[in-house]
Structure formats: C-alpha cells, structure tokens
Amino acid sequence: MKKAFFLAFLFLFLSCTNVFSNKKEDLLQKLRSANRYEGSLIGAVASESKLYKDAEELMSLCSDSEILMLLNDKCPVVKCYAADFIRNRNIEADWYNILLKQAEDYTSVKVYSFCSISDYYAGDFVLNSLFSKKLTESEQNKLKLELIKNQSKLNFANSILLSQDMSDELYAATREWALRGNANAIFSLAKYKKDEDLQLIDSLKDKDIDLFFKACQYNTRESLKPFLEEYMRSIMPKEHFYNEWASFYKLLADYHDDFTKKIFDMAFFDKVTYNIREYHLKDIYYAIKDRHDGFYDDYLKIFWTKYNWVDEEIIDYFLLTDKEFALEGLKTALLNSNEYFFDTETLDYIIKAAYKNKIDLTEYFARAIREDGVSTFEVYMNNMDCLQAGNKTIVDAVKARLENESNRYVTGPLTKYLEDVSAEK
C-alpha cells in the first residue's frame, strides 16, 4: 500500500515537473521569436503588452541561477527581459564581472514602450537596468573607467564622457580616446580645464559645434570672442533655427560683459531673419533667466513684457528689486494671459502674485472669462476666490460667455459659478 502510494506520488511529481518545464520552454520560445522588447504598456493608448506578460510569467518561474543564465541568452530580447526582472531581484552574484562582460554586447535590439520604438545595444539595456542597482560605488567607478579605457561603442560610455565624472585615471583614458578624434571624449577634457587640451577642444569647431560651445563654457577665453562674433554674423540671415544656438547663447551669457550684450543686441537687428528671430531670443531668454544679479535685467524685462516669457523666480526677483516694474509686468501678463496656454502654472502664479500685491483683478478676470481659451480660462476659474463673491462685473462676463459658448469644459464651470452665486444670496 505504501509502495503504491509512493509510486503514485512520484508519478504525479514528475508529471507536474514536466508540465512546469514545458511551460517555461514555451514562454522562452515566445520571447526568442519576438523581434523586439516590449515594455509593460505599449501603443498610444497604453495597452498591456502580451509579450511583457509572458516574460513576467517566465521570470517568475525561473530560479536565480536560471534567470542569470537567461542574461547570457543569445537572443537580445530574452537578455533584456532577464535584465529587467533581475533589477529588483536580490541575487548574490559577481555583478561586476557579469556587467563587464555584458558591456561587450553590441547586438542591436528594438525597444517598444508606449508609442516609442528605439534602437538599443543589448549591452546598453543591461547596464541601464542593473548598473546602479547591483554595483557598489567603487565598482561603478571601476567599470566606468574600463568602458572609457576600452573606448566602448555603448551609449552608456558616451554618457560617462558627457557627465561630470572626473579622476586622474579617467582623464588619462579620456585623453587617449580624444587623441583618436572622438568628439565626446574631446568635450569631456574641457571639464579638467587643462591648457594642454585647448587645441584639441578647438578642433570641435569642425567636428561638433554644439559640443564646442558647451566645452568652452568651462573656460570663457577672451581669444574666442572674434570667432563668436563671426559665428553670430553667420547665423543672423539663417532661415532655419539650429539646436546649437542654445549652447552658443549660453556661452555668451557666461562672459557676462559688454561683449555679451553686444552680441545679444544683434539678435534684435533687422538682419536677423524675421521668422527665425524668436528662436534666437528664446535661446537668450533661457541662457539668462536664472541670472538675477542685475546685469541682464533689461533683457529679462523685455522678454516678460513683450514676449510673455517669465517664471516664478523672475517675478519674485523683480518684486524685490523693481516692484513698480513688476506690478506693471503682472498687469501686462494678465492682459495677455492667452499667451500662457502652454505655461498655466506660471499664469496661476501671476494671478496669485497680483492678488497678494493688491492689484484689482476684476477687469482682468472679466476679460479672461469672456475671451480666453480653455487652458487659461480654467486657471482663472480656479482662482475665483481672488474676487468678491457675486461681483456684478464677473457675473455679467459669465453670462455673456455662456450665450455663445458650447464647450462643456467652459460652460460647466460657468454654470456652477452662477449656481453658487445664487445659493449664497
């Protein structure tokens, strides 16, 4: 009897084990046959990925040793899923040597997340997933150095070059790479501020002008001014904007002298293509918007009152240093509030700052209620406590808007406002 029971139990155990093994194999084959890694949510409507669910099930069935084996799978999709699920799994292993080996994997894999599809090296995916999770700080530094010494093709290596990581060993390895003409390595030398690297850094003018401007921000040399002025004159007639202009104007702002203002002023000239001028000025704005020492105040004032470019820090700065201007700036912004439809947080701050500084908001609210688009209109409706309840001017503006408005996101709040006013009487 006991023997029969034992044999029955053994048969059942082996059958379950076989089913369990077959299930893992089926799931593994699904991953290996996939042509891309998929995140948990894919597509514009964020649908649940069936492939990700299969991977999740497979990884839950794997032991620690099995999932580590999958990290070495020849299929990059399998490898990426293994890295993804290993990240939050507490597995004791020689992670430094494991990741050092993975850093040599230049197999291409497509990564699909939401509606974005990107090409990755499998080694990049693994390092991005596990580097900070599995390595100590000293191991991280050691692996970074190895990647630069090996002049790795991974984007992870480029991120090291573009970072603020610095050490004598890293400098030596970076310079070796820079001498071979790698633009990111040349840029990386700039943060060390060594005179012997200036010639290499100047070579970026022909390799990558954006990196050149960024590199020069570490050392604003007087000798560069003729080149910078010449560059400014060359871009004034351009009929398309270029991303490197942001770095160019940031570098100019770092000079913080009359030369800076001379070049900035050229952006306002008629010789600058009219349709492109705003791109120049926007880059200047972002280059100086956090510089509140008074030197760039004239530009900040123009950007606020003429272009509606301002933020909370600039508002607070002028309320402290030039309150008369700041109050007029707040009023101008309220008159042009539709211009803040992409920056409603700043508009909300403007309204609250105006209220705090005892600006009568009645006419500004009435105008906005009658005229503003949905996004900025909503900001005003959320700040109705800045006005006296039942204010006749506001009530009339609400009724006027309702006469010709069909958008429920507008009519709903307006109708509720009138109901609340009636309830309070």
Side-chain angles (χ1 to χ4, degrees), residues 39-286:
S40 58
L41 299 175
I42 57 174
V45 294
S47 302
E48 189 173 67
S49 166
K50 178 65 169 61
L51 185 65
Y52 184 90
K53 296 297 291 184
D54 288 338
E56 187 175 43
E57 183 177 3
L58 171 62
M59 301 306 165
S60 69
L61 296 174
C62 289
S63 65
D64 288 353
S65 59
E66 287 172 328
I67 200 171
L68 280 174
M69 288 178 63
L70 294 180
L71 193 60
N72 291 307
D73 200 272
K74 292 182 179 180
C75 174
V77 172
V78 174
K79 175 176 290 196
C80 290
Y81 276 117
D84 195 4
F85 286 93
I86 284 174
R87 181 170 57 246
N88 294 317
R89 196 158 165 170
N90 187 21
I91 299 176
E92 294 293 330
D94 182 4
W95 286 110
Y96 174 80
N97 282 307
I98 288 173
L99 296 188
L100 181 61
K101 178 182 177 182
Q102 294 300 325
E104 299 172 357
D105 190 345
Y106 299 125
T107 308
S108 180
V109 59
K110 291 190 179 298
V111 175
Y112 183 26
S113 180
F114 293 97
C115 54
S116 172
I117 299 180
S118 305
D119 287 313
Y120 277 72
Y121 287 129
D124 272 321
F125 192 101
V126 174
L127 288 183
N128 288 334
S129 299
L130 303 178
F131 182 81
S132 60
K133 280 281 188 177
K134 301 302 183 184
L135 300 182
T136 64
E137 184 176 352
S138 62
E139 287 174 330
Q140 290 178 26
N141 291 334
K142 183 180 177 183
L143 184 52
K144 287 178 182 179
L145 180 58
E146 286 301 312
L147 289 171
I148 303 305
K149 280 183 175 180
N150 296 334
Q151 299 180 13
S152 169
K153 293 188 296 184
L154 294 183
N155 289 321
F156 196 90
N158 279 328
S159 71
I160 298 168
L161 294 174
L162 299 176
S163 74
Q164 291 301 309
D165 289 331
M166 296 173 65
S167 70
D168 291 342
E169 295 84 359
L170 201 55
Y171 171 78
T174 300
R175 198 168 201 281
E176 284 296 318
W177 203 352
L179 289 170
R180 296 187 62 180
N182 182 278
N184 287 333
I186 296 171
F187 163 79
S188 194
L189 295 177
K191 62 194 171 192
Y192 293 92
K193 301 181 181 180
K194 293 179 180 287
D195 289 344
E196 57 265 36
D197 295 328
L198 293 179
Q199 187 174 353
L200 271 171
I201 292 168
D202 285 345
S203 72
L204 285 174
K205 292 177 187 176
D206 299 320
K207 292 178 177 294
D208 189 323
I209 193 68
D210 185 46
L211 280 180
F212 173 70
F213 292 139
K214 290 177 178 175
C216 291
Q217 289 170 29
Y218 289 99
N219 186 352
T220 53
R221 293 172 279 154
E222 290 291 310
S223 60
L224 290 176
K225 286 183 175 180
F227 171 79
L228 297 176
E229 183 170 351
E230 179 185 352
Y231 179 82
M232 181 64 192
R233 295 188 187 281
S234 75
I235 66 175
M236 290 171 70
K238 296 289 187 182
E239 296 184 355
H240 303 280
F241 72 92
Y242 296 83
N243 291 333
E244 60 262 24
W245 292 357
S247 302
F248 169 65
Y249 286 117
K250 174 67 168 61
L251 172 60
L252 288 171
D254 288 345
Y255 279 90
H256 202 271
D257 59 12
D258 290 340
F259 173 76
T260 300
K261 291 185 175 182
K262 174 185 175 182
I263 305 301
F264 279 1
D265 288 345
M266 292 168 70
F268 292 86
F269 287 178
D270 289 339
K271 289 184 180 180
V272 173
T273 304
Y274 180 77
N275 293 335
I276 303 299
R277 182 179 300 153
E278 188 169 315
Y279 292 100
H280 288 269
L281 300 182
K282 195 78 169 184
D283 284 337
I284 293 175
Y285 167 71
Y286 280 110

